[in-house]
Amino acid sequence: MRRLLLIAAAILAAVSALAQVQHTGSVELMEIDNGVATFQVQGTASKKSDTSISAKETVFHCLFDKGVEGFNNDEKIVETVTAKNKFYLEKFFEGKNAPMNRFVSGVQQTGTPTKDEAGMFTCSYTVSIKYKALSRDLVQNRLREKDITE
């Protein structure tokens, strides 16, 4: 039984390594209009179909962790992480119906996917985020004290 569990764990680890999605790269603010902010971003993943997921996640990671020039006074939008609200961030990107998708109003591919020497696909996207709704949610979950400014 123990051997079977170890084999199952090894298979899960291998599968998750194969379906790799990266959250690196630059995010550029394109426009802010009527509670929606639109960003230009690169998505990078081991599968071509996952580059759009990577692009969405990259926008949120950048907004949460370091900020985007021209948005929220160039500051990150997550102000306070505590033991109580850390769960929000941990679950934000998980699953097919990830909470992040509630705040995405559009994803449009703007480039042709390319494959690098390491076998990773990269593609450009514009990603539109309902930042006013996201702001309210962050305040409600005590990750911000007040709403995001443009």
Side-chain angles (χ1 to χ4, degrees), residues 3-150:
R3 193 176 299 174
L4 183 61
L5 288 173
L6 289 173
I7 292 171
I11 290 171
L12 284 173
V15 168
S16 78
L18 289 174
Q20 210 176 35
V21 175
Q22 294 183 358
H23 308 115
T24 59
S26 64
V27 175
E28 181 182 340
L29 176 65
M30 303 301 289
E31 75 172 328
I32 298 175
D33 185 34
N34 202 24
V36 176
T38 303
F39 302 91
Q40 180 72 36
V41 63
Q42 295 268 348
T44 304
S46 60
K47 295 184 344 188
K48 195 184 302 186
S49 61
D50 287 342
T51 57
S52 65
I53 296 168
S54 170
K56 291 187 292 187
E57 290 178 354
T58 298
V59 170
F60 284 109
H61 278 287
C62 196
L63 288 170
F64 288 174
D65 300 334
K66 60 184 178 180
V68 174
E69 186 177 335
F71 186 79
N72 192 47
N73 298 319
D74 303 344
E75 296 177 4
K76 64 183 184 172
I77 64 173
V78 172
E79 296 171 338
T80 309
V81 179
T82 65
K84 289 183 179 181
N85 63 20
K86 185 177 178 185
F87 182 75
Y88 177 92
L89 294 174
E90 290 171 352
K91 299 299 178 191
F92 193 77
F93 302 99
E94 282 188 8
K96 188 176 182 178
N97 297 317
M100 76 166 173
N101 291 320
R102 294 181 312 194
F103 306 107
V104 176
S105 64
V107 177
Q108 184 173 358
Q109 184 175 323
T110 58
T112 304
T114 58
K115 190 174 185 178
D116 66 15
E117 307 83 43
M120 299 295 283
F121 289 93
T122 302
C123 190
S124 297
Y125 291 89
T126 56
V127 177
S128 298
I129 305 294
K130 296 181 259 186
Y131 79 88
K132 289 208 179 212
L134 176 61
S135 176
R136 284 190 300 272
D137 200 57
L138 292 174
V139 170
Q140 180 180 351
N141 285 284
R142 295 188 168 90
L143 290 155
R144 287 189 64 80
E145 288 186 24
K146 56 185 179 179
D147 286 335
I148 295 170
T149 58
E150 291 183 17

